[in-house]
């Protein structure tokens, strides 16, 4: 697969190879199955001696178009699309992990991923553990002879920690471990983990890829022989993406580049303005010099992404007051929408963790996460400032 910097370019090259027609926009194959001219054609499809579509749980042309666009952006050989980001994560874990295997993960991961790692995998005799991925020695210590997968997010949700993909990629290659990166927060427009040694890259397409808060989706892309395994597992177990969602997402990818530029510009400006507000202790954004891994962010990302976090001096109470003071920003648990969204992790998404567990992943009582939208930055800032000022 050639790789392109922008999915609109990729779209033009990919789409017309999928059917004999020459649609200008993405066609929607809203069908569960495909028919054959002859018994031999059908026989060949099952034997994989031709590439005829069989059944949409396996492959569907609209879904293939979406997957190929993501491959082009990530510089990946092949991919498989799923109903949600969690379906991609769980499907990939279960493809490779057998009873007796171990998976090593960074401590701060998306909430449902944390639940899979700590509550479900053990049921099948799979061990998981966390370590500090910003510390090379700690990773070396944590790798075991039965470690099969190494999994991380960078930037992490919601902590915005940044890990050195190149350093970790090298370690995985030396040890023969499959290196998987959840690249949801960066998108392939800002960071391409395969260039730094990742074997597989996973996305929740629900977030920035759709970017308009409409559909759920997930995708895993990477090395051809690994994707083949994911495909065979998923074709049988059924987490596949709906053609309708692929149709939505495929068009969304064509505007991802310009959307991300605006999200990132707005986020950086917001982060800088927040830094001088008296009711805030600290602001975290990958492209601020005060970020502990600023140098690594600069090395592996072209911009900081659309998420900014900050810590209110007034703790939990201030967090609740801030959320209630917002007029324009939505109180929503999603992120990566056209509209700016605020969330208060310690009273919502992470309220079930103990205080100690929350602090271990950087979630203090006054932490606010903002998913910065496409509105004018002055409108975003005035809503946030109006809600911050009474907290001084
Ligand atoms: C949202 C999210 C997921 C899960 O994706 P869904 O599409 O909601 O299933 C996984 N990883 C990260 C980093 C996310 O933000």
């Amino acid at each position: 697969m050639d790789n392109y910097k922008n999915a609109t370019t990729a779209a033009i090259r990919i789409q017309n190879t999928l059917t004999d027609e020459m649609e200008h926009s993405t066609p929607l194959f809203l069908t569960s199955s495909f028919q054959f001219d002859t018994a031999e054609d059908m026989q060949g499809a099952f034997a994989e001696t031709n590439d005829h579509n069989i059944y949409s749980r396996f492959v569907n042309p609209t879904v293939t178009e979406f997957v190929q666009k993501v491959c082009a952006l990530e510089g990946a050989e092949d991919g498989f699309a799923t109903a949600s980001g969690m379906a991609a994560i769980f499907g990939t874990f279960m493809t490779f992990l057998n009873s007796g295997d171990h998976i090593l993960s960074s401590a701060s991961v998306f909430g449902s991923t944390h639940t899979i790692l700590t509550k479900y995998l053990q049921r099948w005799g799979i061990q998981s553990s966390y370590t500090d991925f910003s510390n090379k020695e700690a990773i070396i210590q944590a790798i075991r002879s039965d470690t099969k997968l190494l999994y991380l997010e960078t930037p992490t949700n919601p902590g915005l920690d940044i890990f050195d993909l190149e350093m970790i990629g090298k370690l995985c290659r030396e040890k023969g471990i499959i290196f998987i990166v959840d690249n949801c927060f960066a998108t392939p427009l800002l960071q391409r983990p395969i260039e730094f040694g990742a074997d597989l890259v996973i996305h929740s397409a629900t977030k920035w890829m759709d970017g308009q808060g409409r559909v759920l989706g997930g995708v895993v892309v990477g090395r051809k022989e690994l994707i083949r395994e994911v495909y065979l597992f998923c074709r049988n177990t059924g987490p596949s993406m709906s053609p309708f969602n692929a149709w939505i997402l495929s068009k969304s990818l064509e505007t991802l580049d310009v959307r991300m530029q605006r999200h990132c510009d707005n986020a950086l400006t917001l982060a800088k303005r927040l830094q001088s507000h008296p009711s805030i202790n600290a602001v975290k954004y990958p492209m601020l010099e005060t970020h502990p891994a600023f140098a690594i962010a600069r090395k592996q990302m072209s911009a900081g992404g659309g998420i900014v976090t900050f810590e209110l001096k007034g703790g939990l109470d201030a967090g609740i007051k801030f959320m209630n003071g917002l007029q324009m920003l939505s109180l929503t648990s999603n992120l990566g929408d056209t509209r700016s969204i605020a969330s208060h992790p310690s009273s919502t998404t992470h309220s079930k963790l103990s205080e100690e567990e929350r602090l271990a992943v950087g979630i203090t009582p006054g932490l606010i996460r903002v998913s910065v939208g496409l509105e004018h930055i002055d409108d975003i800032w005035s809503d946030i400032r109006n809600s911050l000022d009474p907290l001084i």
Side-chain angles (χ1 to χ4, degrees):
M1 172 64 60
D2 295 329
N3 69 60
Y4 300 100
K5 291 240 147 66
N6 178 307
T8 310
T9 326
I12 298 160
R13 301 294 178 83
I14 290 164
Q15 185 179 301
N16 293 329
T17 63
L18 299 177
T19 63
D20 297 334
E21 302 299 329
M22 294 284 279
E23 303 89 356
H24 187 248
S25 197
T26 302
L28 170 55
F29 290 83
L30 200 52
T31 178
S32 46
S33 61
F34 300 84
Q35 63 178 10
F36 298 88
D37 283 338
T38 66
E40 287 81 2
D41 276 353
M42 194 165 176
Q43 185 180 32
F46 277 86
E48 298 186 60
T49 54
N50 67 41
D51 56 8
H52 204 303
N53 293 298
I54 300 174
Y55 191 58
S56 291
R57 171 155 41 80
F58 308 177
V59 178
N60 172 290
T62 312
V63 179
T64 301
E65 181 181 327
F66 166 70
V67 170
Q68 290 191 4
K69 282 178 181 165
V70 177
C71 289
L73 291 176
E74 287 285 6
E77 292 170 352
D78 204 356
F80 187 80
T82 54
S84 67
M86 288 322 302
I89 293 167
F90 187 61
T92 303
F93 287 175
M94 296 317 280
T95 298
F96 296 107
L97 293 169
N98 294 304
S99 168
D101 287 339
H102 169 247
I103 172 170
L104 182 63
S105 166
S106 59
S108 68
V109 281
F110 184 67
S112 299
T113 310
H114 170 79
T115 305
I116 292 175
L117 289 169
T118 55
K119 301 221 161 73
Y120 291 119
L121 290 182
Q122 284 69 19
R123 281 194 192 172
W124 299 289
I126 297 158
Q127 311 242 328
S128 71
S129 62
Y130 290 146
T131 195
D132 175 9
F133 279 2
S134 57
N135 179 339
K136 187 176 175 184
E137 280 313 306
I139 306 174
I140 292 170
Q141 292 296 316
I143 290 175
R144 305 171 4 180
S145 58
D146 55 359
T147 304
K148 182 89 174 278
L149 305 180
L150 187 146
Y151 178 86
L152 62 84
E153 295 169 12
T154 181
T156 61
N157 180 7
L160 295 181
D161 293 330
I162 305 275
F163 302 121
D164 187 340
L165 291 171
E166 192 181 11
M167 177 270 283
I168 297 170
K170 263 196 208 117
L171 278 180
C172 288
R173 240 188 333 276
E174 280 165 27
K175 308 270 182 189
I177 295 168
I178 300 172
F179 179 24
I180 306 173
V181 176
D182 179 338
N183 200 29
C184 173
F185 267 36
T187 82
L189 271 305
L190 311 183
Q191 170 175 277
R192 303 187 353 144
I194 290 171
E195 289 174 356
F196 296 99
D199 297 301
L200 293 170
V201 174
I202 293 181
H203 285 278
S204 164
T206 316
K207 312 292 172 53
W208 306 101
M209 281 192 176
D210 176 41
Q212 288 148 92
R214 300 169 300 180
V215 296
L216 295 176
V219 63
V220 46
V221 301
R223 275 171 43 204
K224 203 173 181 62
E225 71 276 17
L226 299 178
I227 292 296
R228 171 82 185 155
E229 297 294 314
V230 174
Y231 164 71
L232 291 174
F233 183 81
C234 291
R235 130 180 193 162
N236 287 296
T237 55
S240 321
M241 176 176 277
S242 132
F244 180 77
N245 287 11
W247 180 72
I248 298 272
L249 289 165
S250 200
K251 200 69 188 171
S252 301
L253 283 182
E254 295 184 26
T255 58
L256 183 63
D257 188 0
V258 284
R259 285 187 285 108
M260 287 316 291
Q261 285 176 33
R262 175 67 171 251
H263 286 298
C264 294
D265 288 349
N266 277 353
L268 181 60
T269 307
L270 175 66
K272 287 182 175 161
R273 291 186 188 177
L274 286 166
Q275 275 185 312
S276 55
H277 198 281
S279 59
I280 289 175
N281 267 337
V283 180
K284 203 163 179 190
Y285 185 68
M287 290 297 164
L288 286 182
E289 280 172 37
T290 50
H291 190 290
F294 175 63
I296 299 167
R298 284 277 295 269
K299 178 174 78 164
Q300 64 196 28
M301 299 177 77
S302 61
I307 305 286
V308 177
T309 65
F310 56 91
E311 157 72 21
L312 294 167
K313 285 182 182 157
L316 195 75
D317 282 354
I320 301 279
K321 281 200 192 102
F322 171 79
M323 295 293 284
N324 282 331
L326 294 168
Q327 300 287 316
M328 183 190 84
L329 269 72
S330 327
L331 277 51
T332 309
S333 67
N334 195 21
L335 62 92
D337 197 314
T338 52
R339 302 178 189 172
S340 294
I341 292 170
S343 70
H344 180 222
S346 66
S347 70
T348 57
T349 46
H350 294 71
S351 58
K352 292 203 179 68
L353 303 187
S354 68
E355 179 82 27
E356 201 180 17
E357 286 176 308
R358 274 197 295 272
L359 291 177
V361 294
I363 298 169
T364 50
L367 186 80
I368 300 289
R369 182 188 77 186
V370 177
S371 170
V372 184
L374 301 179
E375 305 94 339
H376 194 285
I377 182 59
D378 292 343
D379 293 337
I380 300 172
W381 173 238
S382 88
D383 194 39
I384 292 180
R385 198 193 45 212
N386 286 340
S387 198
L388 287 173
D389 285 348
L391 305 176
I392 300 170

